[in-house]
Amino acid sequence: MTIRIFEDDAALAADVAQEMVKLVQEKPDAVFCLATGESPMRTYAAMVQLAKEKDVDFSSVNFIGLDEWVGIPRSNPGSCYHFLHERIFQPLGIQESQIYLFDGMAADLQSQCTRMNDHIAQLGGIDWMLVGIGMNGHIGFNEPGISWDKRVHVADLAPITQTVGQKYFQSEMVLKQGLTMGVQHILEARTVALLANGVRKAAIIQSVLEGEVSNLLPASVLQQHANALVFLDREAASGLKNSCFFTT
Ligand code: GLP
């Protein structure tokens, strides 16, 4: 696990954007699995801008969604589908054939999981997974207590996730379940980038990076990932006690 700490979120975003664009230049058919939420917003904007400036060809890149709210239509601006289309796919002119996302309104959620597992296998696995962290240490919708061997699955959302998740929606929504990559896919991704910004993430970041690896704090599993990159702004890093983590 490598931890990079930046003065602010703009500097963090610029660095992650460079990493993403560099991967596309080196591997034009790279497979990205992307989170939504507040944490990567500036990063995605920086990535789109950099890709356009450098005129990077994204026409062979594959995109997979990390997670989705069950029961939320794709047209809802709070859906992960809507978020990724608005912030990445439309600005970069990504074709639907390059995109594979969950459908939170599907009648058969189990088949959503099977099809996503098959799709990832067909693509040969995930090259670059970008994740955020929930206030309870979740990644994707892998909530505290999750078993490490899960692949794509339907998750029952923790009460705090249901409450915090309201911030993405214009009116109050019922957020009981989510579709998500499991920890196995996270461990198998060739690179996992965890992004956290803001002081509200400081305490949970300290626990998952400096505490013991435990399924009660799912993001702590990244300590065991051979190629995990953790990108923090100074505020999110402010709870860390081990100064040797300050690598940039
Ligand atoms: C949400 C999502 C995660 C996201 C995380 C952090 O519940 N399931 O994929 O990364 O919580 O969200 P934010 O970046 O808005 O703090």
Side-chain angles (χ1 to χ4, degrees):
M1 186 171 69
T2 304
I3 299 178
R4 299 185 194 172
I5 297 170
F6 300 89
E7 193 51 42
D8 55 28
D9 191 46
L12 179 160
D15 194 61
V16 182
Q18 271 187 20
E19 293 279 348
M20 296 175 82
V21 167
K22 190 170 81 170
L23 176 59
V24 176
Q25 289 172 318
E26 289 168 3
K27 186 175 182 186
D29 61 349
V31 179
F32 285 89
C33 177
L34 301 180
T36 58
E38 288 179 329
S39 309
M41 279 186 185
R42 202 177 266 113
T43 290
Y44 292 157
M47 194 269 286
V48 167
Q49 195 185 337
L50 187 63
K52 286 184 176 174
E53 276 168 18
K54 293 185 171 245
D55 199 19
V56 179
D57 181 6
F58 271 65
S59 63
S60 300
V61 174
N62 290 284
F63 291 96
I64 294 168
L66 176 73
D67 51 16
E68 184 59 277
W69 305 97
V70 169
I72 301 297
R74 290 178 158 183
S75 56
N76 188 312
S79 72
C80 301
Y81 180 96
H82 195 281
F83 178 105
L84 292 171
H85 275 77
E86 187 179 38
R87 292 171 187 277
I88 298 181
F89 305 151
Q90 281 159 12
L92 288 179
I94 305 297
Q95 302 297 305
E96 284 301 317
S97 58
Q98 299 171 250
I99 302 168
Y100 203 88
L101 304 179
F102 292 116
D103 180 359
M105 293 298 283
D108 184 350
L109 295 175
Q110 212 43 59
S111 84
Q112 287 284 303
C113 300
T114 309
R115 286 166 57 190
M116 181 63 90
N117 281 329
D118 292 348
H119 185 67
I120 293 169
Q122 272 166 21
L123 290 174
I126 295 163
D127 290 301
W128 218 86
M129 183 184 278
L130 188 151
V131 299
I133 182 166
M135 297 303 286
N136 60 357
H138 75 212
I139 24 178
F141 281 129
N142 292 279
E143 298 282 26
I146 188 72
S147 69
W148 284 161
D149 56 4
K150 286 223 180 199
R151 292 184 179 276
V152 178
H153 61 280
V154 184
D156 291 332
L157 302 181
I160 188 173
T161 305
Q162 298 180 30
T163 306
V164 173
Q166 298 298 332
K167 69 180 175 177
Y168 307 118
F169 299 95
Q170 281 151 8
S171 58
E172 193 166 334
M173 306 302 288
V174 177
L175 304 172
K176 294 271 182 222
Q177 291 186 309
L179 285 153
T180 184
M181 294 293 139
V183 172
Q184 266 308 305
H185 276 132
I186 293 167
L187 288 172
E188 287 170 13
R190 287 181 266 282
T191 298
V192 178
L194 170 69
L195 271 60
N197 39 42
V199 72
R200 75 201 160 98
K201 295 289 173 73
I204 193 67
I205 281 293
Q206 193 277 328
S207 300
V208 304
L209 299 185
E210 296 187 329
E212 283 182 17
V213 176
S214 160
N215 70 341
L216 297 178
L217 287 176
S220 66
V221 78
L222 295 182
Q223 292 184 36
Q224 296 180 339
H225 194 288
N227 199 19
L229 305 174
V230 181
F231 297 86
L232 306 174
D233 70 0
R234 191 163 284 282
E235 287 187 5
S238 60
L240 294 179
K241 298 182 171 70
N242 188 345
S243 57
C244 75
F245 276 167
F246 287 75
T247 55
T248 59

